[in-house]
């Protein structure tokens, strides 16, 4: 199993690596998004920055649809290649939370992560399972059923375990929409077209090895998108075609609760321990 990045990086990249649930020869895992539109007086995103679905150029509507994300007050889900993530970002309190599942219990190795960020602190609860989990170095110190408090000096500048509140979108949808090569409106707030997923490497949504394998196909991958009644992005589905030994896959990203997401909750003190060296070694 190869985990390329964690935290926002994991949610936006490692989740969507084909074969992520597969192990390497030893069965040991290696661990390997924007201007700010205004907020209304009520705290809800201001409507002036959003394009009305069904009006204007289709690409411009989609580009405008990502602006509210930069306010950092929303819930999100992501799924792909048998892995899922869900969470919330609440920039007003500098907090975020995400729950990530990579693989499934029947795989040789699977992982669940519960990440909480409340600036200046971060915590992660790890669950490793599967028949080869016991081969993970220090697994006994990782599978504690408790949140492990992270030393910020040890993760400074590390996308594996940190969260950047200057780049609040785990999926990088603003960068993705900039890669749209063709789009048409298919209904009220619905769109379809093609996207250059080589842009997704910068966004963190698709593993670079997938993009390389796609070759010229990477320049025009099918996608669909939905906007909410306020013209904000609510769903994007990218349909990665089969290539080589890799099956076709769908990457789905959703957003909801714009302006009304709540702050993340810090773990109770009696459920927190300091992270051991094994955790940093696993995810560096």
């Amino acid at each position: 199993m190869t985990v390329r990045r964690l935290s926002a990086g994991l949610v936006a990249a490692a989740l969507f690596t084909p074969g992520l649930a597969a192990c390497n020869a030893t069965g040991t895992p290696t661990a390997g998004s924007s201007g700010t539109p205004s907020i209304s007086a009520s705290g809800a995103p201001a409507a002036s920055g959003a394009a009305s679905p069904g009006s204007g150029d289709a690409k411009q509507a989609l580009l405008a649809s990502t602006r509210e994300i930069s306010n950092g007050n929303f819930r999100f889900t992501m799924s792909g290649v048998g892995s899922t993530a869900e969470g919330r970002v609440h920039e007003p309190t500098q907090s975020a939370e995400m729950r990530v599942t990579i693989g499934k219990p029947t795989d040789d190795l699977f992982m669940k992560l519960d990440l909480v960020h409340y600036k200046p602190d971060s915590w992660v609860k790890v669950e490793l399972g599967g028949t080869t989990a016991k081969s993970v170095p220090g697994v006994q110190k990782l599978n504690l059923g408790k949140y492990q408090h992270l030393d910020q000096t040890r993760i400074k500048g590390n996308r594996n375990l940190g969260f950047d509140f200057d780049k609040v979108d785990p999926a990088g949808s603003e960068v993705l929409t900039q890669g749209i090569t063709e789009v048409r409106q298919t209904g009220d707030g619905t769109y379809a077209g093609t996207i250059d997923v080589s842009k997704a490497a910068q966004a963190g949504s698709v593993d670079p090895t997938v993009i390389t394998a796609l070759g010229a196909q990477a320049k025009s991958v099918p996608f669909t998108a939905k906007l909410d009644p306020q013209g904000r992005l609510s769903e994007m589905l990218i349909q990665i075609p089969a290539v080589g030994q890799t099956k076709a896959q769908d990457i789905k990203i959703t957003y909801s609760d714009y302006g009304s997401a709540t702050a993340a909750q810090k773990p109770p003190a009696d459920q927190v321990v300091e992270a051991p060296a094994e955790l940093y070694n696993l995810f560096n």
Side-chain angles (χ1 to χ4, degrees):
M1 172 182 180
T2 301
V3 179
R4 294 180 51 257
R5 303 185 221 167
L6 292 182
S7 189
L10 169 67
V11 175
L15 278 178
F16 308 126
T17 306
L20 188 63
C23 294
N24 61 20
T26 63
T28 303
T30 11
S33 312
S34 68
T36 304
S38 60
I39 301 284
S40 69
S42 65
S48 60
S52 173
S55 69
D57 175 77
K59 183 171 181 178
Q60 288 304 314
L62 287 175
L63 289 171
S65 76
T66 66
R67 292 176 184 166
E68 300 293 354
I69 297 172
S70 64
N71 282 328
N73 191 337
F74 57 86
R75 289 183 178 271
F76 70 91
T77 69
M78 301 175 69
S79 63
V81 198
S83 301
T84 61
E86 62 176 345
R88 54 183 159 171
V89 177
H90 194 253
E91 198 278 338
T93 58
Q94 296 277 277
S95 68
E97 181 179 29
M98 53 195 75
R99 292 164 299 283
V100 181
T101 301
I102 304 173
K104 53 187 183 297
T106 55
D107 291 334
D108 289 343
L109 186 63
F110 80 99
M111 179 184 291
K112 289 184 179 181
L113 299 173
D114 189 347
L115 295 131
V116 179
H117 303 281
Y118 210 118
K119 200 170 182 178
D121 293 298
S122 299
W123 303 263
V124 60
K125 182 162 63 175
V126 180
E127 179 185 348
L128 290 169
T131 57
T132 63
K134 61 183 179 182
S135 68
V136 177
V139 66
Q140 299 87 351
K141 296 182 179 181
L142 300 175
N143 278 352
L144 299 175
K146 291 190 174 184
Y147 287 89
Q148 301 183 43
H149 179 254
L150 299 170
D151 181 346
Q152 296 296 313
T153 65
R154 299 187 68 172
I155 64 171
K156 186 177 181 179
N158 186 337
R159 291 192 63 190
N160 294 347
L161 293 171
F163 187 87
D164 188 349
F165 283 97
D166 292 324
K167 298 177 181 179
V168 296
D169 182 11
S173 291
E174 179 184 21
V175 176
L176 288 175
T177 56
Q178 289 171 355
I180 291 173
T181 53
E182 182 273 327
V183 63
R184 63 193 181 281
Q185 186 166 4
T186 57
D188 187 9
T190 61
Y191 298 82
T194 57
I195 188 169
D196 180 354
V197 296
S198 64
K199 304 290 186 181
Q202 181 183 349
S205 300
V206 180
D207 189 274
T209 60
V210 176
I211 297 169
T212 300
L214 285 170
Q217 293 184 82
K219 298 294 185 181
S220 58
V221 172
F223 83 95
T224 60
K226 297 179 182 179
L227 310 189
D228 69 10
Q230 287 73 45
R232 303 169 300 198
L233 185 65
S234 61
E235 178 185 304
M236 178 175 282
L237 181 69
I238 302 173
Q239 299 165 302
I240 306 293
V243 57
Q245 300 300 311
T246 304
K247 296 180 179 179
Q249 56 182 288
D250 288 345
I251 295 174
K252 184 177 180 180
I253 305 161
T254 71
Y255 299 93
S256 62
D257 293 352
Y258 284 104
S260 60
T262 55
Q265 298 299 305
K266 298 180 181 180
D270 63 354
Q271 293 297 311
V272 173
V273 297
E274 287 299 319
E278 287 80 0
L279 182 78
Y280 301 105
N281 292 338
L282 179 64
F283 296 132
N284 280 333

